[in-house]
Amino acid sequence: EEGGAGRRGERAEEGPAERGPGAAFHMFVLMEDLLDKLKLLSYEEEALRRHNMRPLSRHYFALPTNPGEQFFMFCTLAAWLIRKAGHPFEQPQECDDPNAVISNVLSELRSF
């Protein structure tokens, strides 16, 4: 393709406005889909209550509000999903090195 890497017909330098009027809201749609899937897996009962956490809002990961809290929530959910898939995985702690946590998550996912 001429002009960049990405999906067919999409140029790397294009922003949301060049991809169409709805592109800016795509992340919100993805977050709502993610939340629906997590609810089907009973994440509130199995993952959140265990760690005394509140349920996610419809746009929790779509809007950058508190990066540290959002990162820990992501790690908690990733660890829970890995365990739910049948692989042993230690629950990350808030004080853990973020690079080490992500490295461990990615390493475990590669082993799938």
Side-chain angles (χ1 to χ4, degrees):
E1 271 179 49
E2 186 178 313
R7 286 181 254 152
R8 191 179 328 156
E10 192 177 295
R11 293 182 181 201
E13 67 272 2
E14 288 181 349
E18 289 81 17
R19 291 186 301 224
F25 300 100
H26 185 67
M27 70 185 104
F28 296 100
V29 173
L30 288 176
M31 181 59 209
E32 288 182 19
D33 287 344
L34 170 67
L35 193 55
D36 288 342
K37 291 172 183 173
L38 287 172
K39 286 181 180 180
L40 287 172
L41 293 170
S42 303
Y43 90 104
E44 292 168 323
E45 293 81 21
E46 294 182 22
L48 298 185
R49 284 198 184 137
R50 181 177 179 194
H51 300 288
N52 200 25
M53 300 171 122
R54 290 180 295 162
L56 301 178
S57 69
R58 290 180 336 154
H59 303 130
Y60 184 79
F61 290 117
L63 299 171
T65 54
N66 183 340
E69 176 187 298
Q70 288 171 311
F71 179 76
F72 183 66
M73 178 63 80
F74 167 79
C75 294
T76 298
L77 291 173
W80 172 70
L81 287 168
I82 290 169
R83 286 191 303 273
K84 191 151 182 82
H87 290 244
F89 194 81
E90 190 174 322
Q91 173 63 40
Q93 302 300 312
E94 282 189 86
C95 59
D96 290 347
D97 175 34
N99 292 320
V101 172
I102 289 299
S103 178
N104 290 341
V105 168
L106 291 174
S107 174
E108 192 61 40
L109 292 176
R110 282 186 197 107
S111 75
F112 278 50

